Amino acid sequence: MKNAQSMTDKFSIGLSVMCVMHCLMLPVLLSLLPTLAGLPLNSELFHVWMVAAVIPSSIFALALGCKQHKHYRLLITGAFGLGMLVLAISLGENHIGEAGEKLLTLIGSAFVVIAHLRNYRLCHTNKTQDCACPNA
């Protein structure tokens, strides 16, 4: 259980960073490498699968951290970010435009990353023996 929380924090941070990179770098890559244009990376299905992977790993890691550290603001921050990601998918570019969808996704991802980074740091600064978090 000690490594599970740390691993899911890192996994969620990685997925959120990958989402940000996807939003920011895909247009550049598509313009530079026309062969990538045929890949379905820009489809809504990609966003749905990314959020489907981020939600359970984030909830698991942040819940474990909150259980040990009692810093419930982390859970609220993460939930807010996840909510923004779900809202971006739900509204889609048909309702809020492509720029609005990207903005919601980037802000939501930032909140998720901030929550996980804070959770990860608290795990490594916690010196109690009964904490389920790995100490550095």
Side-chain angles (χ1 to χ4, degrees), residues 22 39-53 88-89 92-93 101:
H22 169 263
L39 296 176
L41 296 176
N42 204 18
S43 73
E44 291 302 313
L45 188 58
F46 179 81
H47 293 125
V48 171
W49 282 109
M50 284 295 292
V51 171
I89 288 175
E93 61 184 63
E101 183 182 17

Side-chain angles (χ1 to χ4, degrees), residues 97-111:
E98 185 177 350
E101 183 182 17
K102 285 186 179 185
L103 184 64
L104 273 179
T105 301
L106 292 174
I107 292 170
S109 294
F111 273 95

Side-chain angles (χ1 to χ4, degrees), residues 3 10 16 18 49 56 60 62 64 67 93 95-98 113-114:
N3 289 331
K10 290 177 185 177
S16 295
M18 193 166 53
W49 282 109
F60 180 72
L62 293 174
L64 282 178
K67 181 180 174 186
E93 61 184 63
H95 290 34
I96 57 175
E98 185 177 350
V113 168
I114 288 167

Side-chain angles (χ1 to χ4, degrees), residues 37-98:
L39 296 176
L41 296 176
N42 204 18
S43 73
E44 291 302 313
L45 188 58
F46 179 81
H47 293 125
V48 171
W49 282 109
M50 284 295 292
V51 171
V54 168
I55 288 174
S57 63
S58 291
I59 291 172
F60 180 72
L62 293 174
L64 282 178
C66 287
K67 181 180 174 186
Q68 295 299 321
H69 305 298
K70 309 292 189 235
H71 286 89
Y72 294 103
R73 283 186 291 177
L74 295 177
L75 193 58
I76 294 168
T77 302
F80 181 74
L82 293 172
M84 291 188 79
L85 293 174
V86 170
L87 187 63
I89 288 175
S90 299
L91 294 177
E93 61 184 63
N94 293 337
H95 290 34
I96 57 175
E98 185 177 350

